[in-house]
């Protein structure tokens, strides 16, 4: 009897172990999430959810992919990727054109972007844009936002030279071709700090509440919401857990991003992650929460600036339905 008991203790499995084994063998649902850009601290929560097993806990095998030439919005809208990273401005324009893309969560609660310039350019207000050269990516939104800010400062947008610099490095461009550019402070601004290159920032939110829109956001398409809401809920729940981990543990979260994207500057990731930790949720009752007012405000601003050709229904552009309570 003792021999048999010893044998069972050594070679048998407990109910808990058997359950864990079954859980591991459970077939996971494969889905993908397409980034808007190369990996950075806007995306940390996704990498945390993958590394820490939060997606697996929800029955998902999630592949994080790059946007390629098609872009994230097109891949998500067409169903080639179930989820993606986008921006409120892009979704607003897409939905007016009948593209069935929907925002599921705000990655960052408030707009942290603005126009940056080296301090020796002496650009401290939108009025100082006059006589200067702006480098961007050729979107009509850029000129409209510059003009909107300059109008409030009694300045003339026609006195700004606007050139297309595409994906050119900000620090190279401002030393060679341009005077100012539109950046996310949480990445490029932090990089400037590490380089000890002082910047002047003209933040969009300092000049208009309507420009405090959600950027970036997580997306899916209407078909996924209608036909597979359980998968949408599982993805958002795991991702939320990933960002909550990054909020509470920025240093550990940075390490996870660096492991996934080893080519990134480690010091930049660490410092950016620390800066963004309090920005992800900020004053919202929970991470990812979106307000109808924010979606209305920005669409009104776009309409006022002749950037929307058609009707926009803000209530269909986003949902909080899948966020954890």
């Amino acid at each position: 009897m003792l021999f048999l008991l010893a044998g069972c203790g050594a070679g048998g499995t407990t109910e808990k172990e058997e359950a864990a084994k079954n859980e591991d063998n459970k077939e996971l649902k494969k889905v993908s999430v397409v980034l808007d850009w190369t990996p950075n601290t806007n995306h940390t929560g996704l990498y945390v959810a993958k590394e820490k097993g939060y997606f697996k806990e929800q029955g998902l095998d999630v592949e994080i992919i790059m946007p390629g030439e098609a872009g994230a919005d097109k891949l998500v809208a067409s169903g080639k990727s179930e989820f993606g990273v986008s921006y409120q401005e892009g979704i607003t324009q897409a939905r007016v054109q009948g593209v069935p893309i929907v925002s599921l969560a705000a990655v960052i609660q408030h707009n942290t972007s603005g126009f940056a310039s080296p301090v020796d350019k002496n650009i401290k207000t939108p009025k100082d844009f006059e006589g200067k050269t702006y480098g961007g990516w050729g979107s009509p939104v850029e000129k409209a936002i510059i003009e909107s800010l300059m109008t409030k400062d009694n300045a003339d947008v026609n006195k700004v030279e606007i050139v297309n610099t595409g994906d050119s490095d900000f620090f190279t461009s401002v030393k060679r071709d341009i005077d100012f550019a539109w950046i996310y402070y949480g990445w490029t601004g932090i990089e400037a700090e590490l380089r000890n290159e002082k910047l002047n920032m003209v933040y969009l939110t300092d000049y208009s509440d309507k420009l405090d829109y959600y950027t970036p956001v997580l997306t899916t398409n209407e078909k996924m919401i209608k036909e597979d809401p359980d998968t949408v809920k599982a993805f958002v729940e795991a991702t939320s857990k990933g960002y909550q981990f990054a909020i509470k543990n920025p240093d550990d979260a940075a390490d996870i991003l660096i492991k996934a994207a080893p080519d990134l500057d480690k010091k930049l990731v660490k410092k950016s992650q620390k800066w963004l930790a309090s920005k992800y949720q900020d004053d919202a009752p929970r991470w990812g929460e979106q307000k109808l007012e924010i979606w209305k405000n920005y669409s009104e601003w776009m309409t006022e600036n002749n950037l929307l050709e058609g009707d926009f229904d803000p209530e269909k552009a986003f949902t909080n339905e899948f966020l954890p309570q």
Side-chain angles (χ1 to χ4, degrees), residues 115-125 128-129 132 170-171 174-175 178-181 183 185 188-189 192-193 195-202:
F115 295 106
S117 59
V119 291
D120 59 9
K121 303 283 187 180
N122 203 31
I123 302 173
K124 297 178 180 177
T125 69
D128 299 326
F129 294 168
K132 301 295 194 299
F170 168 80
F171 298 98
V174 292
K175 287 176 181 172
I178 64 171
D179 297 304
F180 68 109
I183 71 165
Y185 192 85
T188 308
E193 289 183 15
R195 288 168 170 256
N196 201 27
E197 296 186 24
K198 295 185 184 299
L199 298 181
N200 283 329
M201 287 292 300
V202 176

Side-chain angles (χ1 to χ4, degrees), residues 218-268:
L218 295 180
T219 63
T220 190
N221 59 61
E222 291 179 357
K223 186 177 180 182
M224 274 292 293
I225 289 175
K226 183 179 180 180
E227 297 183 0
D228 197 357
D230 289 344
T231 296
V232 177
K233 183 174 177 57
F235 176 81
V236 174
E237 189 151 331
T239 303
S240 173
K241 196 171 178 180
Y243 279 101
Q244 287 166 14
F245 179 91
I247 290 167
K248 295 172 184 174
N249 310 279
D251 201 56
D252 292 340
D255 286 337
I256 290 171
L257 178 59
I258 291 164
K259 179 183 175 183
D263 290 340
L264 292 176
D265 182 320
K266 292 179 176 60
K267 287 184 178 179
L268 173 56

